[in-house]
Amino acid sequence: MPFKKLEFIFPWRSYQEKFINNINKHIDDNHLHVVAPPGSGKTILGIEIIRQVGKKTLVLAPTLTVRNQWENRLQTFFIKDGLYNDFSFDINNPKGVTFSTYQSLHSFFKKFEDKADYYAFFESENIEAIVLDEAHHLKNEWWKCLIELKRINNLTIVALTATPPYDSDALEVSKYFSLCGEIDEEIAVPELVKEGDLCPHQDFVYFSKPEDKEINFIFEYRMRISDFLDELKQNTAFITFLNNHRFLKSTETCLNEIYSNPEYFSAILIFLNAIYQEIPKEKLYILGFEKKDKVEFPVFTNDWAEVLFQNLIVSDRLNLIENEPFLNDLETKLRRLNIFENKKVDLVGNYQLYRSLSNSPSKLKSIVAIISNEYKNLKSDLRAVVLTDYIKKEFKTTEDKEVSLIDRLGVVPIFQHLRTNSIPKKEIAVLTGTLVIIHKSTIQTFEQFEPIEKYSFISFETDSEYVEIVPKVGANHLVNTITKLFELGEIKILIGTKSLLGEGWDAPSINTLVLASFVGSYVSSNQMRGRAIRTQKGNLHKTGNIWHLVCLDPTDSKGGRDIEVLTRRFDAFVGVSISEENYIESGIGRLNLPNIYKDVTIEYLNEKTLSQSKKRENLKNKWKHAIGKGTGISREIKQYYPGKEPYNIEKNQVFNDVVRYSFLELSVALSFFLPQFLVKNLNVLLTNGVMAFIYSLLTALGLSFGWKTYKSIKNYIQFGLLHKDLNKISKALLDTMYDLNLVSTNKDEIFLSTDIQPKGEVVCAIKGASEMESALFINSLQEIIEPIKNPRYLIVKTNWFRKNFEIQNYYSVPEMFGDKKKRCEVFLKNWKNQVGDSEVFYTRHLEGRKRLLKARMFHLSNSFNETTKKAVIWN
């Protein structure tokens, strides 16, 4: 065993010990995939995994700094006396454990003309395990030299990350999990806060309004598209072109194409319906509808226009070659409107508007307001970092009187704004890879750490109180020195780039972080956020405020793309609620932000947020109380309310209607209608008997009140039983997982809960299962209840109420059951036991395709909306 000299020389944290005890159980399948936030000791846990696995190992890290940390942690935490020598930094000369980088492995891989020699090298050197540190970096092409190596050499793979790349495209996510395996263990943020490895922290969102020119740009952009679509609806040439499309002219011969791309066919029909053209019933039959079905067409929105144009201009272009002049003209119009670029149609304006709002100069004022507030609150204790994407050196020469005119977000614009406001200048500095600026008063302390002759100090162009530090040859410790000055408090506000300070940079004193970055994903966001939530040795009172900037879109009642992107990123952040109720969960919901921003006063929101950010002592208590409510993390899924009106309004309407028409109005009928009916129909009773009289009475009641009662009961069944349905579906799913041996945890230890929240969301949570079992359950439940995509099997409820009230509910059979018919039949058996009478349809033949299309049409109104949300909760 190559690592018998290694042994951890300190006590393990409780969450670490719990993880370590499960290593052997997880490594059985040659995979161990661990998700743990920054500050949890991933490197130390990685070394312990290597020690227990006991195989010759290659450790891969994203940077040289992180690579060197591995060797440092090994020598510091696992060796009592002397040094451990059975390690190497050279992949060409591996030892018991070799520390390298992804870049080095990729370069090593490219050296081999015959890749068989590459695989043979690992076999001959007896390397049997690979550790992938910060595994989210594997989205890059580095994975190519690993995936085949893993397969051919049957290597043990250990993957460590703070954030899996969930928001990448499906192919990258698939590659990531094919190499790393499913997540085996996740160390929760609350456990780290409880143990003192992370400090109590809170996220805050600061809002801004676009500048006038940005508002004008947005309104003009929206109006140009709206006018274009209105003109298109009057354009006889376009209407004729669509009516002559092969999908309409030769529908029967195009069935395979239509079934493989039903959205395209649907978009054509929805457009023609929008111009009041009658759609032939037989075209709807193609989509699986029947004569008795009432078809409600969706509105022809920008989303549907995008689907239509993307197919006409790109995907289906070759099949429409005879219309090339017409399509070329249409493409030109789309390009002039800036809604077609790089073979992508974008009528929603996601890219154009997001670029405008995310980089809005209004955020410069937000940063000044945040830093001013934090400085007033913390004074000399402030350690603030502002991270952004670009340096923007062109603004170095901006004079004080012109600073307010800067219209770009970047390091220099932020520096210019902060130094010209009420914050003391000596507290501010800039640290990037190519630009370092400090106040002159800081030079004296700087000399204590660095030989001053190794640097040139150049007076900053527009403010002589600052100097720009330019290293001479051989000076490469500048980042470390500026970091020390920041830690000491000589610098209290540091402005830098995400690329330099966002990952791997360590400054435990940070207590305020402003994320002025709009490039990147949850991965980079979580890594940046991790800078501020670490504990600081000797500072037991440290808390962290993380600030996120949003510029609202005045043309979008939901706030626009900026808040949409932030909402998605918050799925990766687990934190404490901002309201008086103390709870811990992932997602932006815990910040209690508005759902609709149409009539919201931004000034009020920001003032309230600034006030909350000052209550740092209260923040510590919130974490303590919220952690005390639970013992571990569980997973839940939230199904959003599907009604057109707000839940409370529609719930009251439906309930009142059922009561009114089923009971109240029936009482009125008996009180007033019955005596009158009795008088008028007394002769029927006398001449034809009691039964004839009762039939007449029931007929009259049905004609008077029957339709209203029918509508009310139908609405109640459709919308009023959502949480009960989800509860039954979740039980059917769990029963099937047990029947198919996909769950090993004792059934008595697993608890399912389903609740309906005030806004109508239905939440289903699973507790007591392992991390892998919970993830499998929640992912499968999401497959079942989200809008129909392209499942192999479809399940349809067939009970009496739904048949007679013309309500049809379609659900996807999860992929893990749909791969084989026998597994699907097990699911159907449990579904019938828990949910009720239903049928399963195979969708890969003609009739099944029709049924699938009908199911997808049933969900058309939700095609572009988020209908479910997964979350991690502490309880």
Side-chain angles (χ1 to χ4, degrees), residues 815-832:
E815 188 178 343
M816 67 174 176
F817 305 148
D819 60 340
K820 293 179 182 176
K821 187 176 180 180
K822 286 186 178 179
R823 294 164 73 92
C824 187
E825 287 171 349
V826 174
F827 180 54
L828 179 61
K829 178 199 74 174
N830 287 308
W831 181 282
K832 285 181 175 180

Side-chain angles (χ1 to χ4, degrees), residues 742-756:
L742 296 169
V743 180
S744 58
T745 303
N746 192 306
K747 200 168 187 178
D748 294 337
E749 296 175 17
I750 294 181
F751 176 69
L752 297 178
S753 64
T754 309
D755 301 297
I756 190 160

Side-chain angles (χ1 to χ4, degrees), residues 538-557:
N539 182 5
L540 298 177
H541 300 290
K542 182 191 169 180
T543 57
N545 284 353
I546 304 105
W547 291 89
H548 307 264
L549 308 179
V550 166
C551 185
L552 291 174
D553 180 350
T555 66
D556 188 337
S557 63

Side-chain angles (χ1 to χ4, degrees), residues 149-162:
L149 178 63
K150 168 198 166 184
R151 186 183 66 82
I152 292 172
N153 291 40
N154 194 29
L155 297 175
T156 297
I157 299 292
V158 176
L160 308 171
T161 184

Side-chain angles (χ1 to χ4, degrees), residues 200-359:
H201 54 276
Q202 184 58 280
D203 294 278
F204 297 98
V205 178
Y206 197 93
F207 294 96
S208 63
K209 296 177 182 177
E211 305 288 332
D212 287 343
K213 66 176 183 179
E214 293 173 286
I215 293 174
N216 291 336
F217 169 77
I218 294 167
F219 272 107
E220 288 173 8
Y221 182 87
R222 301 266 192 222
M223 286 304 300
R224 285 199 308 270
I225 294 174
S226 179
D227 291 343
F228 172 68
L229 292 180
D230 286 343
E231 289 171 10
L232 208 61
K233 290 175 184 177
Q234 307 296 324
N235 188 322
T236 54
F238 184 72
I239 295 168
T240 302
F241 164 70
L242 283 186
N243 277 307
N244 286 323
H245 194 285
R246 67 186 185 283
F247 282 7
L248 294 179
K249 282 289 185 182
S250 308
T251 309
E252 293 296 329
T253 62
C254 298
L255 290 180
N256 286 335
E257 285 186 273
I258 291 172
Y259 292 157
S260 64
N261 190 1
E263 289 82 5
Y264 182 19
F265 187 43
S266 300
I268 294 173
L269 298 183
I270 292 166
F271 175 84
L272 295 176
N273 178 73
I275 60 171
Y276 306 105
Q277 180 173 312
E278 187 175 350
I279 307 300
K281 293 290 184 184
E282 58 269 20
K283 305 304 178 189
L284 298 176
Y285 300 156
I286 295 297
L287 291 173
F289 289 101
E290 300 170 13
K291 291 182 180 180
K292 64 178 182 179
D293 293 328
K294 295 175 183 176
V295 181
E296 293 184 13
F297 279 86
V299 176
F300 185 72
T301 59
N302 284 10
D303 292 301
W304 282 112
E306 195 172 286
V307 170
L308 180 59
F309 294 142
Q310 184 69 36
N311 280 281
L312 294 177
I313 302 299
V314 181
S315 307
D316 196 32
R317 189 78 169 253
L318 290 177
N319 295 315
L320 302 168
I321 196 72
E322 69 275 9
N323 301 107
E324 184 57 32
F326 178 82
L327 292 175
N328 192 53
D329 181 54
L330 179 60
E331 179 185 331
T332 301
K333 290 177 181 176
L334 296 181
R335 288 189 183 278
R336 286 175 181 167
L337 288 167
N338 292 316
I339 56 180
F340 182 64
E341 191 175 342
N342 297 324
K343 294 188 176 182
K344 176 69 178 171
V345 177
D346 178 16
L347 272 84
V348 182
N350 284 347
Y351 178 72
Q352 284 281 340
L353 300 188
Y354 179 48
R355 185 170 58 181
S356 167
L357 294 175
S358 60
N359 197 24

Side-chain angles (χ1 to χ4, degrees), residues 275-546:
I275 60 171
Y276 306 105
Q277 180 173 312
E278 187 175 350
I279 307 300
K281 293 290 184 184
E282 58 269 20
K283 305 304 178 189
L284 298 176
Y285 300 156
I286 295 297
L287 291 173
F289 289 101
E290 300 170 13
K291 291 182 180 180
K292 64 178 182 179
D293 293 328
K294 295 175 183 176
V295 181
E296 293 184 13
F297 279 86
V299 176
F300 185 72
T301 59
N302 284 10
D303 292 301
W304 282 112
E306 195 172 286
V307 170
L308 180 59
F309 294 142
Q310 184 69 36
N311 280 281
L312 294 177
I313 302 299
V314 181
S315 307
D316 196 32
R317 189 78 169 253
L318 290 177
N319 295 315
L320 302 168
I321 196 72
E322 69 275 9
N323 301 107
E324 184 57 32
F326 178 82
L327 292 175
N328 192 53
D329 181 54
L330 179 60
E331 179 185 331
T332 301
K333 290 177 181 176
L334 296 181
R335 288 189 183 278
R336 286 175 181 167
L337 288 167
N338 292 316
I339 56 180
F340 182 64
E341 191 175 342
N342 297 324
K343 294 188 176 182
K344 176 69 178 171
V345 177
D346 178 16
L347 272 84
V348 182
N350 284 347
Y351 178 72
Q352 284 281 340
L353 300 188
Y354 179 48
R355 185 170 58 181
S356 167
L357 294 175
S358 60
N359 197 24
S360 172
S362 66
K363 292 185 177 180
L364 293 167
K365 296 175 184 176
S366 297
I367 294 167
V368 171
I370 292 165
I371 296 297
S372 297
N373 180 74
E374 293 281 23
Y375 188 77
K376 287 176 187 174
N377 186 36
L378 295 176
K379 299 180 176 60
S380 62
D381 291 331
L382 177 66
R383 298 292 185 276
V385 173
V386 184
L387 290 180
T388 191
D389 298 299
Y390 306 113
I391 299 175
K392 299 292 180 184
K393 289 183 181 180
E394 62 268 28
F395 293 103
K396 283 167 60 177
T397 56
T398 304
E399 299 289 341
D400 289 10
K401 61 184 179 182
E402 296 175 339
V403 166
S404 61
L405 302 177
I406 295 176
D407 61 353
R408 291 289 184 274
L409 199 60
V411 169
V412 176
I414 294 168
F415 171 68
Q416 296 281 34
H417 269 262
L418 288 175
R419 75 170 183 84
T420 54
N421 277 276
S422 56
I423 301 152
K425 290 185 177 182
K426 64 185 181 66
E427 315 287 19
I428 307 168
V430 166
L431 177 58
T432 76
T434 60
L435 180 67
V436 179
I437 302 170
I438 63 172
H439 194 264
K440 276 185 176 179
S441 63
T442 313
I443 295 176
Q444 189 174 355
T445 312
F446 180 88
E447 289 180 286
Q448 296 176 19
F449 300 99
E450 285 287 321
I452 198 166
E453 63 274 7
K454 288 188 176 182
Y455 300 90
S456 299
F457 296 84
I458 304 166
S459 184
F460 188 67
E461 283 99 320
T462 56
D463 193 331
S464 59
E465 290 189 47
Y466 291 97
V467 292
E468 183 179 338
I469 306 177
V470 180
K472 296 177 183 177
V473 177
N476 58 2
H477 300 104
L478 195 50
V479 172
N480 290 337
T481 303
I482 298 299
T483 303
K484 288 175 184 176
L485 295 177
F486 178 75
E487 292 285 288
L488 289 170
E490 288 292 321
I491 296 167
K492 295 183 177 61
I493 302 158
L494 194 58
I495 309 155
T497 52
K498 178 192 72 175
S499 58
L500 181 67
L501 307 181
E503 184 173 350
W505 180 65
D506 198 15
S509 65
I510 300 172
N511 51 32
T512 298
L513 177 66
V514 182
L515 296 176
S517 168
F518 59 90
V519 175
S521 58
Y522 321 105
V523 171
S524 59
S525 298
N526 206 28
Q527 291 293 329
M528 287 187 288
R529 189 172 169 274
R531 304 307 102 204
I533 65 178
R534 295 176 185 269
T535 49
Q536 182 185 14
K537 193 174 181 180
N539 182 5
L540 298 177
H541 300 290
K542 182 191 169 180
T543 57
N545 284 353
I546 304 105

